[in-house]
Amino acid sequence: MKSLFALALLASSSSAIAASIGPEHQLYKRDLATSDPSYPSPWMDPEADGWEDAYAKARAFVSQLTLLEKVNLTTGVGWEGEQCVGQNGAIPRLGLRSLCMHDSPVGVRGSDFNSVFPSGQTAAATFDRILMNRRGYAMGEEAKGKGVTVLLGPVAGPLGRMPEGGRNWEGFSPDPVLTGVGIAETIKGIQDAGTIACAKHFIGNEQEHFRQVGEARGYGFRIAESLSSNIDDKTMHELYLWPFADAVRAGVGSVMCSYQQVNNSYACQNSKLLNDLLKNELGFQGFVMSDWQAQHTGAASAVAGLDMTMPGDTEFNTGRSFWGANLTIGVVNGTVPEYRIDDMAMRIMAAFFKVGKTIDQPPINFDFWTSDTYGPVHWVAKQGYQQINYHVDVQADHGVLIREIAAKGTVLLKNTGVLPLSKPKFVAVIGDDAGPNIRGPNSCSDRGCDDGTLAMAWGSGTANFPYLVTPDAALLAQAVADGSRYESILTNYAPAQTRSLVQQANVTAIVFVNADSGEGYINVDSNEGDRRNLTLWRNGDDLVKNVSSWCSNTIVVIHSTGPVLVTDWYDSPNITAILWAGIPGQESGNSITDVLYGKVNPSGRTPFTWGATRESFGTDVLYTPNNGAGAPQQDFSEGVFIDYRHFDKADAPLIYEFGYGLSYTTFEYSNIQVQKSNPGTYTPTTGTTAAAPTFGNFSTDLNDYVFPSNLQYVYQYIYPYLNTSDARNASQDPHFGQTAAEFLPPNATDSTSQPLLRSSGKSTPGGNRKLYDVMYTITADITNTGSIAGDEVPQLYLSLGGPDDPKVVLRDFDRIRINPGQTSQFRATLTRRDLSNWDTTLQDWVVSEYPKTAYVGSSSRKLDLSVVLA
Ligand SMILES: *[C@@H]1O[C@H](CO)[C@@H](O)[C@H](O)[C@H]1NC(C)=O
Ligand SMILES: *[C@@H]1O[C@H](CO)[C@@H](O)[C@H](O)[C@H]1NC(C)=O
Ligand SMILES: *[C@@H]1O[C@H](CO)[C@@H](O)[C@H](O)[C@H]1NC(C)=O
Ligand SMILES: *[C@@H]1O[C@H](CO)[C@@H](O)[C@H](O)[C@H]1NC(C)=O
Ligand SMILES: *[C@@H]1O[C@H](CO)[C@@H](O)[C@H](O)[C@H]1NC(C)=O
Ligand SMILES: *[C@@H]1O[C@H](CO)[C@@H](O)[C@H](O)[C@H]1NC(C)=O
Ligand SMILES: *[C@@H]1O[C@H](CO)[C@@H](O)[C@H](O)[C@H]1NC(C)=O
Ligand SMILES: *[C@@H]1O[C@H](CO)[C@@H](O)[C@H](O)[C@H]1NC(C)=O
Ligand SMILES: *[C@@H]1O[C@H](CO)[C@@H](O)[C@H](O)[C@H]1NC(C)=O
Ligand SMILES: *[C@@H]1O[C@H](CO)[C@@H](O)[C@H](O)[C@H]1NC(C)=O
Ligand SMILES: *[C@@H]1O[C@H](CO)[C@@H](O)[C@H](O)[C@H]1NC(C)=O
């Protein structure tokens, strides 16, 4: 795989300086990575596991629809056109209101009386499937209670290729298995609660820089096209696509295609990604929705597998759409085949019915654009003045769960014995990360600032806090209850006062520090979404160094969106404990107090590696365009070697390894046993699909599609109707008149029966059923050798054995409560997929001939037990 991107790599080193960017540095198109076409776009399978009822209901409904109604389902009404962050057209004739597509993966965005949950990354640190599922369920309930149809989450892209990646916290972990479990459990939770989940961002969306041309202009770079993530087939399958397979297998109703390009083809019109990988190979039955403004073509994106455009306009507030009227015309003139518009409508409605929704959905009771009770329902048009916010309280008792998840996701990185605290005589809390944002927890738009304690990072993946328990508030309350003396200095910038406080006798000093990041449309302290470095913010390192030079009992608590460099101070003897508290959500202070005082015995495990230096990670964000005015090229030339796989391979220096975390008790591992199952040999899928069905009929007379005379035209709103029955004038497409044969790839409109891929399932979302056969069951005994009860997170790793394989890869884990002196059994499985590599020639998963070893232990580097798989 090494030589694949050699040319692009060469160029990236030759044009690192912004000033040198110019057309002369642009690479020849022929030297860039390309994406193979894959057509036609697969249609739904009536027999797909878990989708049969939904398919039948969708077919009954879609069969009644007119072409205009189908187009309405697929096309957003435009940015700020309705109450949610995205909505499609309604079908008033049949009583279906517009569907509400709404953020975020931590809570209902821009609303009120909703909860703010811990980040996906913090949930991952619990290594607890049940908590991940309960978090999803609670978020699904809150979304439903507000009238949200599709919750825009959870996230497996970014996966976390670069620790600086701005949105890594929204997802789970750079390990595909941990992310796969996280995304699947979250999806099941959200959808069991009656809300459609949206697995995003598909795929290769690993950095914020250059994901959008307009955004890049905002920080000083003129590029004609978005970044291209160049990912080889093996890496795609073994790393980035892996968790999406789990999402599809969990029955996810929608997938969001991402902003950037993959192999120089935009993700929302890349047929290899959408038609081939997602719909053919993984057997995805739901609908693909574009990220906001990630669609760049009309008919081409339709045949490449896009099913819904969000928010519907070509760019925000143009009043024009690649779909809408254009899609109506495109179907009538045969550019977009009839089966394709029918399949789009089927996929949307099947996802809708699959989660138990009925046509008479309760109304949307909040408005994203304002917290005013009354206002225009069409925000940008300032039309339709009515009550738009009903201030419905959807929190239930979710605060209890939030507190538990953030406590159980807190990782104890160091403890010389000072923790847990027990009625300490005197607690001194230091740092602005312990206190409030004095302007209020929701004062910065989309949390685009780092003021006060970091309980949520920034961007669209946010929600308004109903309240925020700061560490200071919770620790103060604990101190008062205990009769401890308590003082806090809630700024990093009072060294004299801090020194005189922490030098006093009997002090337990707790220093709170953080590192923030977020989405690329907001710049915080020169961080354009992605972090510009891996150090602590607001002089956090100096603060820790100062306090620990003055006080021999310094505890450090870190809130961050990923690893930070702790190399300079972590081993100071005066630093008696270090905790990573992630991005905890609204109960932050209570959660950390529970851990510090031992009400929760810590058992979180770090879901990423803490490298010793920035360079030790081996990958970094591309901060400067490397292809002149063309699409910046980000070559994933490290292959599957990110995070711990890289550290193991390169023997790069690290401080805390993936999967590491301490407890207040101790555990011993023994007695590994392996049991082989006999699920039979792998059977490649054969056969073909049925031909594409169509549902209903449509008129080819354009007069039937012009605006109804009684319609009240809303400013900038996107409709399925035409202004005139003259197609060219109605479309205003500058290239109007080209036929499908002239500008669409071969087979793009083919509706005949198609061969099934050998790796794909016969009606089994997630891929070939045999991939999920259990091949081995591994057990081990774990004894709590300490004096208090605690949870242990045993982890199963596998060595695939080949010369190009990582040393070990995580394959299973559990979180088990064990009482002192007791022994519990850890039981883990290895499926055929777990044991396989992706064979690029065969285009299938294959178990190699190399000897395989399974390891059980408490982190990726503490693997006490091992067994060779026979
Ligand atoms: C990208 O290009 C590489 C190298 O040719 C290839 O292995 C991979 O399948 C391509 N991926 C996509 C999505 O086109
Ligand atoms: C399409 O959606 C719009 C907005 O919800 C609605 O006003 C219109 O009636 C719908 N058109 C059809 C044909 O259902
Ligand atoms: C149709 O799409 C083209 C771009 O392909 C766009 O320029 C035009 O404005 C669209 N027409 C309508 C009616 O939205
Ligand atoms: C408090 O500090 C004094 C002076 O160092 C020491 O004698 C005493 O033992 C300390 N008490 C506790 C509870 O740490
Ligand atoms: C790293 O970035 C943070 C946040 O912008 C900033 O506070 C800090 O000074 C930077 N560190 C270095 C060493 O430049
Ligand atoms: C650390 O202490 C030095 C010396 O007192 C002071 O100049 C500096 O501002 C302090 N920095 C922080 C962040 O506390
Ligand atoms: C540890 O703290 C003491 C004050 O209690 C100080 O004298 C000493 O220099 C500190 N040591 C380090 C390594 O910072
Ligand atoms: C579509 O089919 C229905 C039911 O057979 C029929 O009433 C209607 O006229 C047809 N419409 C068109 C446009 O062909
Ligand atoms: C269609 O007509 C409306 C109302 O007159 C106008 O605002 C809009 O710009 C027109 N759209 C096109 C594509 O001409
Ligand atoms: C068909 O309609 C689409 C969408 O407006 C347009 O892009 C295309 O040029 C049209 N083709 C013909 C042959 O009219
Ligand atoms: C188009 O489909 C036919 C069979 O349906 C196949 O033989 C041919 O290779 C396809 N062409 C392309 C370019 O994919």
Side-chain angles (χ1 to χ4, degrees):
M1 289 294 123
K2 251 178 227 116
S3 62
L4 275 179
F5 309 119
L7 283 161
L9 265 177
L10 249 165
S12 65
S13 48
S14 70
S15 62
I17 312 155
S20 75
I21 297 295
E24 70 275 15
H25 288 93
Q26 195 161 331
L27 292 160
Y28 288 112
K29 199 101 189 165
R30 63 166 185 270
D31 294 337
L32 298 178
T34 57
S35 205
D36 287 342
S38 174
Y39 297 94
S41 189
W43 38 94
M44 277 190 84
D45 173 356
E47 277 144 33
D49 286 358
W51 289 81
E52 303 92 330
D53 288 354
Y55 186 95
K57 286 179 181 153
R59 182 178 51 204
F61 184 76
V62 171
S63 299
Q64 303 170 54
L65 302 185
T66 65
L67 176 56
L68 289 169
E69 288 167 337
K70 290 171 187 169
V71 171
N72 247 8
L73 280 180
T74 67
T75 304
V77 298
W79 180 239
E80 300 178 323
E82 293 276 352
Q83 285 158 276
C84 299
V85 76
Q87 285 185 228
N88 62 354
I91 304 184
R93 183 177 66 90
L94 297 174
L96 180 70
R97 73 149 164 85
S98 158
L99 312 184
C100 165
M101 271 51 76
H102 200 71
D103 297 313
S104 83
V106 297
V108 184
R109 182 181 175 206
S111 179
D112 53 13
F113 304 97
N114 55 271
S115 305
V116 171
F117 291 80
S119 68
Q121 195 182 48
T122 303
T126 67
F127 279 72
D128 186 325
R129 287 175 170 81
I130 294 170
L131 282 182
M132 293 174 188
N133 184 272
R134 288 177 60 204
R135 174 175 170 275
Y137 192 87
M139 293 196 299
E141 281 184 321
E142 294 203 10
K144 186 179 181 185
K146 291 282 182 184
V148 172
T149 319
V150 184
L151 187 165
L152 303 176
V155 174
L159 187 67
R161 176 177 180 260
M162 298 83 73
E164 298 83 0
R167 300 182 78 178
N168 292 352
W169 62 283
E170 292 188 47
F172 297 93
S173 161
D175 181 83
V177 168
L178 181 52
T179 293
V181 169
I183 199 167
E185 291 301 333
T186 308
I187 287 164
K188 286 186 237 166
I190 291 171
Q191 298 198 158
D192 283 350
T195 300
I196 302 172
C198 179
K200 67 185 191 181
H201 306 84
F202 192 75
I203 195 170
N205 189 171
E206 295 293 322
Q207 66 169 56
E208 294 302 286
H209 279 78
F210 315 124
R211 63 182 190 149
Q212 291 194 87
V213 168
E215 205 171 83
R217 204 166 268 230
Y219 43 86
F221 295 107
R222 281 176 179 268
I223 46 171
E225 285 182 64
S226 301
L227 178 89
S228 177
S229 294
N230 302 325
I231 312 175
D232 69 81
D233 194 31
K234 184 172 192 289
T235 303
M236 178 62 88
H237 280 86
E238 294 184 5
L239 195 59
Y240 298 98
L241 189 64
W242 182 291
F244 283 101
D246 293 315
V248 172
R249 193 154 181 258
V252 72
S254 67
V255 166
M256 186 187 291
C257 51
S258 54
Y259 283 120
Q260 94 302 336
Q261 309 191 66
V262 173
N263 289 12
N264 295 291
S265 168
Y266 277 102
C268 289
Q269 65 189 57
N270 184 317
S271 63
K272 170 80 184 166
L273 293 180
L274 304 182
N275 286 345
D276 193 44
L277 296 182
L278 185 61
K279 290 182 174 177
N280 264 338
E281 184 180 326
L282 299 185
F284 174 57
Q285 300 295 314
F287 63 100
V288 177
M289 138 186 5
S290 71
D291 203 339
W292 271 232
Q293 308 189 113
Q295 186 194 27
H296 299 278
T297 52
S301 61
V303 295
L306 185 70
D307 301 299
M308 181 188 278
T309 171
M310 278 292 139
D313 30 22
T314 50
E315 284 175 29
F316 290 171
N317 304 120
T318 56
R320 300 289 187 268
S321 181
F322 292 111
W323 286 3
N326 271 321
L327 187 53
T328 306
I329 301 169
V331 173
V332 171
N333 76 16
T335 308
V336 176
E338 180 184 5
Y339 88 81
R340 189 73 267 275
I341 180 79
D342 286 0
D343 186 57
M344 293 178 193
M346 282 294 293
R347 287 172 177 274
I348 294 165
M349 293 312 298
F352 179 92
F353 291 121
K354 184 171 194 294
V355 302
K357 290 198 177 295
T358 52
I359 295 300
D360 56 339
Q361 299 175 86
I364 297 160
N365 58 37
F366 75 104
D367 189 279
F368 175 60
W369 318 103
T370 177
S371 53
D372 293 349
T373 302
Y374 294 88
V377 70
H378 307 299
W379 183 251
V380 72
K382 298 282 173 271
Q383 279 173 246
Y385 192 85
Q386 62 177 64
Q387 183 166 0
I388 50 178
N389 273 306
Y390 289 80
H391 315 289
V392 177
D393 191 332
V394 292
Q395 298 173 86
D397 60 351
H398 297 157
V400 178
L401 175 65
I402 290 166
R403 177 176 181 162
E404 182 183 354
I405 295 170
K408 291 188 169 171
T410 295
V411 184
L412 181 63
L413 295 168
K414 177 178 181 180
N415 183 17
T416 60
V418 63
L419 295 181
L421 300 174
S422 172
K423 296 193 193 306
K425 194 164 183 195
F426 171 27
V427 176
V429 166
I430 311 294
D432 42 30
D433 184 68
N437 176 342
I438 56 168
R439 292 169 200 86
N442 297 316
S443 57
C444 299
S445 174
D446 292 339
R447 307 301 85 79
C449 62
D450 185 27
D451 296 339
T453 195
L454 182 67
M456 189 173 5
W458 78 76
S460 65
T462 55
N464 290 328
F465 287 110
Y467 59 81
L468 173 52
V469 181
T470 63
D472 181 51
L475 289 166
L476 170 62
Q478 178 70 44
V480 170
D482 286 349
S484 303
R485 182 183 157 205
Y486 183 89
E487 283 192 43
S488 55
I489 297 178
L490 301 180
T491 171
N492 293 3
Y493 302 108
Q497 295 84 346
T498 299
R499 180 179 185 145
S500 79
L501 183 69
V502 303
Q503 278 183 334
Q504 294 177 32
N506 308 124
V507 74
T508 301
I510 311 179
V511 185
F512 283 83
V513 287
N514 70 38
D516 202 355
S517 72
E519 193 172 349
Y521 67 94
I522 297 176
N523 170 332
V524 179
D525 196 29
S526 301
N527 298 268
E528 305 283 359
D530 302 315
R531 282 190 279 168
R532 61 181 161 113
N533 63 50
L534 293 181
T535 58
L536 291 168
W537 287 37
R538 304 178 71 85
N539 296 91
D541 288 293
D542 286 344
L543 184 70
V544 169
K545 287 181 202 167
N546 278 354
V547 173
S548 62
S549 72
W550 302 321
C551 169
S552 61
N553 186 12
T554 303
I555 296 167
V556 179
V557 177
I558 302 167
H559 288 119
S560 71
T561 54
V564 294
L565 303 180
V566 299
T567 315
D568 283 356
W569 48 260
Y570 80 101
D571 59 352
S572 159
N574 284 359
I575 295 180
T576 49
I578 305 174
L579 300 102
W580 179 68
I583 298 293
Q586 70 191 39
E587 290 277 334
S588 174
N590 287 332
S591 303
I592 193 67
T593 302
D594 288 348
V595 174
L596 289 169
Y597 283 81
K599 283 174 263 186
V600 169
N601 185 351
S603 53
R605 294 291 184 266
T606 175
F608 46 75
T609 303
W610 297 63
T613 62
R614 181 175 190 163
E615 295 69 36
S616 68
F617 287 89
T619 46
D620 208 329
V621 166
L622 180 74
Y623 293 94
T624 310
N626 59 0
N627 182 22
Q633 302 291 308
Q634 177 71 294
D635 298 329
F636 289 34
S637 43
E638 72 289 339
V640 300
F641 295 93
I642 65 168
D643 201 75
Y644 67 88
R645 299 154 177 237
H646 157 75
F647 281 92
D648 285 346
K649 184 186 182 198
D651 199 18
L654 60 79
I655 308 295
Y656 301 115
E657 75 272 17
F658 175 88
Y660 169 83
L662 300 170
S663 164
Y664 296 150
T665 186
T666 49
F667 299 97
E668 245 174 54
Y669 286 63
S670 63
N671 189 29
I672 190 167
Q673 300 285 339
V674 59
Q675 198 197 329
K676 190 172 180 172
S677 317
N678 287 308
T681 54
Y682 184 69
T683 24
T685 296
T686 54
T688 55
T689 69
T694 55
F695 304 100
N697 56 10
F698 63 90
S699 150
T700 51
D701 180 355
L702 288 181
N703 285 301
D704 293 339
Y705 300 108
V706 295
F707 273 92
S709 51
N710 60 348
L711 186 123
Q712 270 255 259
Y713 186 90
V714 177
Y715 174 66
Q716 284 189 354
Y717 208 79
I718 306 299
Y719 292 96
Y721 309 112
L722 320 186
N723 271 15
T724 146
S725 60
D726 177 86
R728 180 182 297 271
N729 284 337
S731 161
Q732 295 187 7
D733 177 350
H735 307 290
F736 191 86
Q738 284 183 307
T739 62
E742 281 168 329
F743 82 104
L744 292 182
N747 295 351
T749 60
D750 186 357
S751 63
T752 61
S753 147
Q754 297 292 312
L756 294 168
L757 302 181
R758 53 177 291 146
S759 60
S760 81
K762 246 199 184 104
S763 306
T764 53
N768 193 312
R769 186 192 306 274
K770 300 293 277 177
L771 292 173
Y772 298 95
D773 285 341
V774 171
M775 307 290 282
Y776 295 95
T777 302
I778 285 143
T779 56
D781 292 340
I782 301 166
T783 305
N784 182 339
T785 51
S787 55
I788 56 167
D791 291 2
E792 176 64 347
V793 176
Q795 300 158 41
L796 173 74
Y797 290 83
L798 177 72
S799 161
L800 287 158
D804 297 329
D805 290 320
K807 185 169 169 224
V808 291
V809 288
L810 179 72
R811 283 301 187 244
D812 203 356
F813 57 83
D814 201 357
R815 177 175 180 129
I816 309 174
R817 181 100 186 143
I818 311 175
N819 286 325
Q822 301 284 300
T823 298
S824 290
Q825 193 183 62
F826 167 55
R827 198 182 171 81
T829 57
L830 287 168
T831 64
R832 196 185 308 267
R833 179 178 68 149
D834 290 333
L835 294 163
S836 298
N837 289 96
W838 180 253
D839 185 320
T840 57
T841 310
L842 202 58
Q843 286 295 298
D844 208 347
W845 293 96
V846 169
V847 181
S848 72
E849 76 273 22
Y850 299 109
K852 311 208 181 309
T853 310
Y855 298 86
V856 171
S858 59
S859 84
S860 61
R861 291 207 167 171
K862 193 158 187 319
L863 299 170
D864 292 348
L865 308 177
S866 67
V867 59
V868 176
L869 301 178

mmCIF file of all heavy atoms in Angstrom, residues 714-732:
data_model
loop_
_atom_site.group_PDB
_atom_site.id
_atom_site.type_symbol
_atom_site.label_atom_id
_atom_site.label_comp_id
_atom_site.label_asym_id
_atom_site.label_seq_id
_atom_site.Cartn_x
_atom_site.Cartn_y
_atom_site.Cartn_z
ATOM 1 N N VAL A 714 -43.303 31.098 0.346
ATOM 2 C CA VAL A 714 -42.472 31.565 1.462
ATOM 3 C C VAL A 714 -41.088 31.917 0.919
ATOM 4 O O VAL A 714 -40.474 31.132 0.190
ATOM 5 C CB VAL A 714 -42.363 30.477 2.554
ATOM 6 C CG1 VAL A 714 -41.439 30.928 3.682
ATOM 7 C CG2 VAL A 714 -43.731 30.111 3.089
ATOM 8 N N TYR A 715 -40.609 33.074 1.291
ATOM 9 C CA TYR A 715 -39.322 33.589 0.841
ATOM 10 C C TYR A 715 -38.190 32.575 1.079
ATOM 11 O O TYR A 715 -38.071 32.016 2.166
ATOM 12 C CB TYR A 715 -39.047 34.898 1.589
ATOM 13 C CG TYR A 715 -37.687 35.507 1.369
ATOM 14 C CD1 TYR A 715 -37.307 35.991 0.113
ATOM 15 C CD2 TYR A 715 -36.773 35.616 2.424
ATOM 16 C CE1 TYR A 715 -36.060 36.558 -0.067
ATOM 17 C CE2 TYR A 715 -35.521 36.186 2.252
ATOM 18 C CZ TYR A 715 -35.171 36.641 1.004
ATOM 19 O OH TYR A 715 -33.934 37.203 0.825
ATOM 20 N N GLN A 716 -37.411 32.342 0.066
ATOM 21 C CA GLN A 716 -36.228 31.458 0.103
ATOM 22 C C GLN A 716 -36.546 30.000 0.394
ATOM 23 O O GLN A 716 -35.643 29.207 0.666
ATOM 24 C CB GLN A 716 -35.184 31.959 1.122
ATOM 25 C CG GLN A 716 -34.413 33.150 0.617
ATOM 26 C CD GLN A 716 -33.237 33.504 1.516
ATOM 27 O OE1 GLN A 716 -33.047 32.944 2.578
ATOM 28 N NE2 GLN A 716 -32.440 34.454 1.080
ATOM 29 N N TYR A 717 -37.809 29.653 0.360
ATOM 30 C CA TYR A 717 -38.222 28.297 0.694
ATOM 31 C C TYR A 717 -37.988 27.398 -0.528
ATOM 32 O O TYR A 717 -38.126 27.834 -1.664
ATOM 33 C CB TYR A 717 -39.707 28.344 1.029
ATOM 34 C CG TYR A 717 -40.202 27.310 1.991
ATOM 35 C CD1 TYR A 717 -40.009 27.449 3.357
ATOM 36 C CD2 TYR A 717 -40.923 26.208 1.529
ATOM 37 C CE1 TYR A 717 -40.523 26.517 4.247
ATOM 38 C CE2 TYR A 717 -41.437 25.273 2.415
ATOM 39 C CZ TYR A 717 -41.233 25.429 3.770
ATOM 40 O OH TYR A 717 -41.744 24.511 4.637
ATOM 41 N N ILE A 718 -37.635 26.154 -0.271
ATOM 42 C CA ILE A 718 -37.410 25.209 -1.367
ATOM 43 C C ILE A 718 -38.668 24.345 -1.559
ATOM 44 O O ILE A 718 -39.126 23.698 -0.617
ATOM 45 C CB ILE A 718 -36.202 24.289 -1.081
ATOM 46 C CG1 ILE A 718 -34.949 25.117 -0.766
ATOM 47 C CG2 ILE A 718 -35.964 23.337 -2.239
ATOM 48 C CD1 ILE A 718 -34.484 26.044 -1.869
ATOM 49 N N TYR A 719 -39.190 24.356 -2.762
ATOM 50 C CA TYR A 719 -40.402 23.603 -3.102
ATOM 51 C C TYR A 719 -40.097 22.563 -4.177
ATOM 52 O O TYR A 719 -39.113 22.688 -4.907
ATOM 53 C CB TYR A 719 -41.469 24.561 -3.659
ATOM 54 C CG TYR A 719 -42.014 25.538 -2.650
ATOM 55 C CD1 TYR A 719 -41.481 26.835 -2.561
ATOM 56 C CD2 TYR A 719 -43.062 25.189 -1.808
ATOM 57 C CE1 TYR A 719 -41.993 27.738 -1.649
ATOM 58 C CE2 TYR A 719 -43.581 26.105 -0.894
ATOM 59 C CZ TYR A 719 -43.038 27.369 -0.820
ATOM 60 O OH TYR A 719 -43.539 28.265 0.082
ATOM 61 N N PRO A 720 -41.007 21.608 -4.331
ATOM 62 C CA PRO A 720 -40.839 20.655 -5.434
ATOM 63 C C PRO A 720 -41.415 21.196 -6.745
ATOM 64 O O PRO A 720 -41.262 20.579 -7.797
ATOM 65 C CB PRO A 720 -41.653 19.450 -4.955
ATOM 66 C CG PRO A 720 -42.746 20.034 -4.114
ATOM 67 C CD PRO A 720 -42.143 21.256 -3.449
ATOM 68 N N TYR A 721 -42.104 22.343 -6.657
ATOM 69 C CA TYR A 721 -42.856 22.870 -7.813
ATOM 70 C C TYR A 721 -41.972 23.660 -8.775
ATOM 71 O O TYR A 721 -40.906 24.161 -8.414
ATOM 72 C CB TYR A 721 -43.969 23.809 -7.331
ATOM 73 C CG TYR A 721 -44.856 23.234 -6.268
ATOM 74 C CD1 TYR A 721 -44.818 23.752 -4.972
ATOM 75 C CD2 TYR A 721 -45.742 22.200 -6.557
ATOM 76 C CE1 TYR A 721 -45.642 23.246 -3.991
ATOM 77 C CE2 TYR A 721 -46.573 21.685 -5.566
ATOM 78 C CZ TYR A 721 -46.522 22.213 -4.277
ATOM 79 O OH TYR A 721 -47.335 21.708 -3.297
ATOM 80 N N LEU A 722 -42.472 23.833 -9.998
ATOM 81 C CA LEU A 722 -41.769 24.618 -11.026
ATOM 82 C C LEU A 722 -42.443 25.987 -11.177
ATOM 83 O O LEU A 722 -43.654 26.102 -11.087
ATOM 84 C CB LEU A 722 -41.824 23.917 -12.385
ATOM 85 C CG LEU A 722 -41.652 22.403 -12.420
ATOM 86 C CD1 LEU A 722 -41.601 21.923 -13.871
ATOM 87 C CD2 LEU A 722 -40.400 21.997 -11.680
ATOM 88 N N ASN A 723 -41.618 26.989 -11.460
ATOM 89 C CA ASN A 723 -42.170 28.325 -11.687
ATOM 90 C C ASN A 723 -42.898 28.415 -13.029
ATOM 91 O O ASN A 723 -43.766 29.249 -13.203
ATOM 92 C CB ASN A 723 -41.056 29.385 -11.662
ATOM 93 C CG ASN A 723 -40.822 29.897 -10.252
ATOM 94 O OD1 ASN A 723 -41.275 29.295 -9.287
ATOM 95 N ND2 ASN A 723 -40.132 31.027 -10.160
ATOM 96 N N THR A 724 -42.450 27.576 -13.951
ATOM 97 C CA THR A 724 -43.037 27.610 -15.290
ATOM 98 C C THR A 724 -42.976 26.207 -15.871
ATOM 99 O O THR A 724 -42.126 25.395 -15.456
ATOM 100 C CB THR A 724 -42.285 28.597 -16.219
ATOM 101 O OG1 THR A 724 -42.308 28.072 -17.550
ATOM 102 C CG2 THR A 724 -40.840 28.777 -15.809
ATOM 103 N N SER A 725 -43.828 25.914 -16.804
ATOM 104 C CA SER A 725 -43.808 24.573 -17.397
ATOM 105 C C SER A 725 -42.710 24.447 -18.454
ATOM 106 O O SER A 725 -42.531 23.399 -19.052
ATOM 107 C CB SER A 725 -45.177 24.234 -18.001
ATOM 108 O OG SER A 725 -45.478 25.171 -19.001
ATOM 109 N N ASP A 726 -41.967 25.525 -18.647
ATOM 110 C CA ASP A 726 -40.783 25.441 -19.505
ATOM 111 C C ASP A 726 -39.615 24.939 -18.646
ATOM 112 O O ASP A 726 -39.168 25.635 -17.727
ATOM 113 C CB ASP A 726 -40.459 26.829 -20.087
ATOM 114 C CG ASP A 726 -39.196 26.784 -20.910
ATOM 115 O OD1 ASP A 726 -39.286 26.455 -22.098
ATOM 116 O OD2 ASP A 726 -38.102 27.038 -20.342
ATOM 117 N N ALA A 727 -39.156 23.729 -18.944
ATOM 118 C CA ALA A 727 -38.190 23.062 -18.058
ATOM 119 C C ALA A 727 -36.908 23.869 -17.892
ATOM 120 O O ALA A 727 -36.395 24.028 -16.788
ATOM 121 C CB ALA A 727 -37.868 21.672 -18.585
ATOM 122 N N ARG A 728 -36.404 24.402 -18.998
ATOM 123 C CA ARG A 728 -35.144 25.135 -18.919
ATOM 124 C C ARG A 728 -35.269 26.356 -18.016
ATOM 125 O O ARG A 728 -34.433 26.604 -17.144
ATOM 126 C CB ARG A 728 -34.687 25.537 -20.315
ATOM 127 C CG ARG A 728 -33.368 26.312 -20.355
ATOM 128 C CD ARG A 728 -33.016 26.717 -21.770
ATOM 129 N NE ARG A 728 -32.790 25.559 -22.635
ATOM 130 C CZ ARG A 728 -31.614 24.964 -22.794
ATOM 131 N NH1 ARG A 728 -30.548 25.421 -22.171
ATOM 132 N NH2 ARG A 728 -31.489 23.913 -23.586
ATOM 133 N N ASN A 729 -36.346 27.083 -18.196
ATOM 134 C CA ASN A 729 -36.551 28.274 -17.377
ATOM 135 C C ASN A 729 -36.843 27.927 -15.925
ATOM 136 O O ASN A 729 -36.427 28.636 -15.007
ATOM 137 C CB ASN A 729 -37.703 29.124 -17.932
ATOM 138 C CG ASN A 729 -37.262 29.891 -19.161
ATOM 139 O OD1 ASN A 729 -36.060 30.120 -19.344
ATOM 140 N ND2 ASN A 729 -38.212 30.261 -20.003
ATOM 141 N N ALA A 730 -37.557 26.843 -15.735
ATOM 142 C CA ALA A 730 -37.879 26.449 -14.361
ATOM 143 C C ALA A 730 -36.629 25.989 -13.628
ATOM 144 O O ALA A 730 -36.450 26.248 -12.443
ATOM 145 C CB ALA A 730 -38.922 25.340 -14.361
ATOM 146 N N SER A 731 -35.743 25.310 -14.327
ATOM 147 C CA SER A 731 -34.549 24.761 -13.691
ATOM 148 C C SER A 731 -33.464 25.816 -13.480
ATOM 149 O O SER A 731 -32.838 25.878 -12.431
ATOM 150 C CB SER A 731 -33.976 23.625 -14.551
ATOM 151 O OG SER A 731 -32.638 23.396 -14.207
ATOM 152 N N GLN A 732 -33.243 26.604 -14.531
ATOM 153 C CA GLN A 732 -32.144 27.582 -14.520
ATOM 154 C C GLN A 732 -30.803 26.919 -14.259
ATOM 155 O O GLN A 732 -29.865 27.548 -13.768
ATOM 156 C CB GLN A 732 -32.414 28.694 -13.517
ATOM 157 C CG GLN A 732 -33.627 29.491 -13.933
ATOM 158 C CD GLN A 732 -33.855 30.709 -13.078
ATOM 159 O OE1 GLN A 732 -33.050 31.065 -12.227
ATOM 160 N NE2 GLN A 732 -34.962 31.383 -13.324
#
